[in-house]
Amino acid sequence: MPQTPRQPERRQFLLRIGAAAGCGALVPLLHGCETAELYTLPPLHVEVTFDLAKSPYDALKTVGASLDVTFGNVDGLLVRVSDAQIIGVTRICPHQQGNIKWDKAGATLVCTTHAAKFASNGAVTGQPNNGDTLTTMLPTWAVTFDAATGKGTVQT
Amino acid sequence: MMQRLIAITVSGLALATLALPILAVPAQALPRMTLTTSSRCSNCHINPQGSGPRNAMGFYATAANGAVTWDKLGWQKFHELSDNTFFGEKLEIGGDLRLQMAKLGSPRWDNDGKLVEPDRMFIPMQDQVGLNFKALPWLSVAASFNPIGFLKSYAGQSLYDGWVQIQPSVELPRLRVGMIQPGFGVRYDDHTLIIRRNPLALGTPILPPFYNDLGAELAYEGLHWLSLDVAAVWANNLHLANPDGVASGKLALSARATIYPQTQDWGINSWLGGSFLQSDKLTMYGGHVGLGKSYWGSIMAEAVWSQIAFGRETFSTLVQVDHPLKEWLVLTGRWETGNGHSPGLAEADVQSYVAGIQFVPVPNIELRPEYRYLKTSSYLLAQYTLQLHAWF
Ligand code: FES
């Protein structure tokens, strides 16, 4: 019985391995092309004073009320969490940039996109409902508030 | 035969459980294959819409496709495993495992004004096992399970699908009743596609990967140049994906028609079709067109418009080109656009370019290195990604 020549098969095999290696070599090449850009401005840090006697801050007269604000170039949320305390947080979810709202009934901050929950100090208390694990805190602002005068400051 | 059944089932379950600790998205057919082989999705997949585990034909078609076949590596037994049927071809079993390495999410500013990129993660996208039992020549029962959805899923994605199918003969219409996906446009194997997503919130698909709802579908593929399907389902999962437009338990209706013009002389295959889906306040229209030739490759395009009455409106397009250098080495390029607007929200524009390679080093294992460039109204993220797909 004539023998099948082995050479072409080996050559073909080596060619295929070469092609595979070529594909693999593309990966580090592509790595060099990785980039990320943001078209929003980095957060501007500002100090804002507020007075509950004046609009729009009068919305915070009742405990449990919240107010959407934009300070500097950052969208945020002020919440009257108790008689004596107002908190300030950014309104952009650290998961995938969803919108943060105050859930009055649950007394918690909730993302409207995947329902991640945050405590008033920004700590993650409920994970996104798409199964991702979120560890980044929601950025918070330093707020001072004097319940007697109804005046305070926010430092973003 | 029993040993083979046990071996395949055990390896399938092992594959499935391997990926359990993370997320779930199903594999779907590669639409380019319908254009280069002039074949319907239903010819190769248990799900006639072309998603997930393969039938006997699909299994056979991929069993020897690889840069190196298993026998050359000394795995003769594996090489000879060219069929997934049992009990006189009454039972077909299949499974898919798909892992993706990518940076998920978008860049953001930290509080100190430093740009933070999303982390690169390994995401098991799919962990699906399925079977099809042909009880009678006209009656079959099929089901598949994607358990990774327990741990990670999109809103509205289901853990399983399954149906009873009645089809007296291939020339006659087919009725499927069960947990099914109403037919709409083209189903791809990549859940990151923009075409089925909401450009206003890219993390939330309008039709999630492996979306299924309870209902019925009537489909007709009796002519070689035409396929038609209509479906009616209770939109419980569609409601979870689109809570602002679809109330739970409403009916969702879909219809899709595709014609398959062919030129025998040139060996050119094509399809051209349209889809419609409506449920409560959500309406969607889609159009798809594709052109392909064996060994040359394919080009396909799709457009999807969606609207929630008095709410968001989206329009997305996709163009994909595939060119096979070898059966086991295919170059791919894709361009997608998405636009969305909604009262009270800034208009969203999304552009995505993907260039990649589908490389099958050995049969039943595919590596897909890709370069992805995604630009939205608020950020740009360009990255390389790698997908591993193993199936049986
Ligand atoms: S964007 Fe906020 S939880 Fe996903």
Side-chain angles (χ1 to χ4, degrees):
Chain A
M1 208 171 107
Q3 286 266 305
T4 319
R6 308 261 325 143
Q7 199 56 28
E9 198 174 273
R10 193 182 309 147
R11 195 182 304 144
Q12 208 174 24
F13 178 83
L14 290 173
L15 264 174
R16 288 172 181 191
I17 293 294
C23 293
L26 271 178
V27 173
L29 261 181
L30 293 174
H31 185 55
C33 306
E34 292 204 311
T35 176
E37 286 173 18
L38 275 164
Y39 305 127
T40 52
L41 291 170
L44 273 179
H45 296 292
V46 293
E47 184 171 316
V48 180
T49 56
F50 63 86
D51 183 347
L52 298 201
K54 293 185 185 146
S55 174
Y57 303 106
D58 54 350
L60 296 171
K61 274 183 176 162
T62 46
V63 173
S66 63
L67 176 68
D68 285 357
V69 290
T70 302
F71 291 156
N73 57 357
V74 181
D75 291 335
L77 186 68
L78 298 180
V79 185
R80 180 89 183 259
V81 289
S82 70
D83 242 350
Q85 194 189 12
I86 287 176
I87 60 158
V89 296
T90 64
R91 229 185 310 145
I92 316 292
C93 178
H95 177 227
Q96 287 175 12
Q97 283 69 54
N99 197 20
I100 302 292
K101 290 258 181 245
W102 171 247
D103 170 18
K104 192 175 168 184
T108 188
L109 295 154
V110 184
C111 173
T112 54
T113 303
H114 302 116
K117 289 186 180 147
F118 304 89
S120 52
N121 65 357
V124 183
T125 55
Q127 290 295 335
N129 62 13
N130 70 346
D132 284 352
T133 304
L134 180 65
T135 49
T136 313
M137 288 175 71
L138 180 68
T140 56
W141 293 336
V143 182
T144 60
F145 175 56
D146 179 355
T149 60
K151 291 182 180 167
T153 60
V154 181
Q155 214 159 15
T156 67
Chain B
M1 191 187 70
M2 207 56 205
Q3 273 176 336
R4 196 158 58 94
L5 174 65
I6 292 167
I8 289 199
T9 312
V10 168
S11 55
L13 288 175
L15 259 178
T17 39
L18 238 174
L20 253 175
I22 327 172
L23 132 140
V25 176
Q28 291 161 1
L30 291 174
R32 70 172 167 82
M33 288 176 178
T34 63
L35 289 165
T36 50
T37 62
S38 172
S39 140
R40 307 278 171 96
C41 306
S42 56
N43 290 350
C44 288
H45 286 267
I46 287 175
N47 186 335
Q49 286 193 357
S51 166
R54 281 136 293 270
N55 59 21
M57 171 72 141
F59 190 92
Y60 178 76
T62 62
N65 178 29
V68 180
T69 45
W70 287 108
D71 55 332
K72 300 218 168 53
L73 299 171
W75 289 52
Q76 193 65 29
K77 280 250 155 54
F78 223 58
H79 181 64
E80 282 160 11
L81 199 71
S82 60
D83 126 56
N84 62 340
T85 63
F86 305 92
F87 308 119
E89 301 193 354
K90 274 187 180 309
L91 180 68
E92 294 161 328
I93 291 181
D96 287 271
L97 174 67
R98 206 179 278 266
L99 298 162
Q100 176 86 51
M101 183 189 69
K103 291 176 185 171
L104 275 195
S106 51
R108 62 182 173 84
W109 296 117
D110 72 5
N111 220 17
D112 302 323
K114 220 175 88 210
L115 189 149
V116 182
E117 283 193 41
D119 291 335
R120 196 184 304 280
M121 296 191 267
F122 280 95
I123 311 136
M125 295 197 300
Q126 184 197 15
D127 178 28
Q128 189 179 6
V129 281
L131 54 83
N132 184 30
F133 182 65
K134 297 174 194 165
L136 294 166
W138 53 270
L139 177 76
S140 61
V141 183
S144 81
F145 182 44
N146 198 23
I148 244 163
F150 276 123
L151 300 168
K152 165 122 181 106
S153 64
Y154 294 101
Q157 179 179 327
S158 46
L159 283 169
Y160 63 92
D161 63 2
W163 57 86
V164 174
Q165 178 172 310
I166 296 169
Q167 187 171 28
S169 85
V170 285
E171 290 85 29
L172 290 174
R174 164 182 82 220
L175 176 68
R176 282 198 304 150
V177 180
M179 197 69 175
I180 56 169
Q181 181 171 130
F184 189 89
V186 181
R187 289 181 71 162
Y188 302 90
D189 66 340
D190 187 332
H191 70 280
T192 63
L193 292 191
I194 289 160
I195 192 89
R196 287 176 169 226
R197 282 173 181 255
N198 171 9
L200 291 156
L202 279 181
T204 55
I206 301 170
L207 294 178
F210 207 48
Y211 154 62
N212 295 288
D213 262 325
L214 197 60
E217 174 200 69
L218 190 64
Y220 176 68
E221 291 188 318
L223 296 168
H224 73 273
W225 56 271
L226 175 73
S227 72
L228 298 168
D229 58 77
V230 291
V233 298
W234 280 281
N236 292 316
N237 282 323
L238 194 61
H239 153 71
L240 294 176
N242 301 274
D244 46 344
V246 181
S248 178
K250 288 277 182 188
L251 211 60
L253 301 172
S254 74
R256 180 173 52 181
T258 306
I259 56 168
Y260 299 83
Q262 277 178 315
T263 62
Q264 298 292 348
D265 297 348
W266 294 82
I268 291 175
N269 309 304
S270 63
W271 34 251
L272 174 70
S275 325
F276 166 76
L277 187 142
Q278 210 278 324
S279 183
D280 199 9
K281 287 191 261 171
L282 173 70
T283 306
M284 296 176 76
Y285 288 100
H288 51 277
V289 58
L291 199 68
K293 182 173 161 64
S294 306
Y295 307 113
W296 285 30
S298 61
I299 177 164
M300 55 196 155
E302 191 177 5
V304 172
W305 174 86
S306 85
Q307 188 185 49
I308 285 174
F310 312 112
R312 71 160 196 246
E313 186 177 343
T314 70
F315 181 68
S316 304
T317 62
L318 172 149
V319 177
Q320 177 158 332
V321 181
D322 294 286
H323 175 63
L325 295 175
K326 297 275 179 193
E327 240 183 288
W328 44 267
L329 192 67
V330 180
L331 303 179
T332 295
R334 186 170 63 239
W335 172 46
E336 283 187 279
T337 67
N339 173 270
H341 49 90
S342 184
L345 288 180
E347 183 166 349
D349 267 312
V350 180
Q351 297 261 353
S352 159
Y353 302 89
V354 177
I357 297 164
Q358 293 165 14
F359 172 50
V360 186
V362 285
N364 298 66
I365 293 179
E366 180 201 354
L367 289 171
R368 203 181 285 188
E370 286 177 326
Y371 180 67
R372 291 167 175 257
Y373 178 98
L374 175 69
K375 191 172 183 195
T376 73
S377 310
S378 54
Y379 68 88
L380 180 155
L381 185 64
Q383 59 170 317
Y384 72 89
T385 62
L386 181 66
Q387 190 180 113
L388 166 72
H389 178 205
W391 69 94
F392 68 94

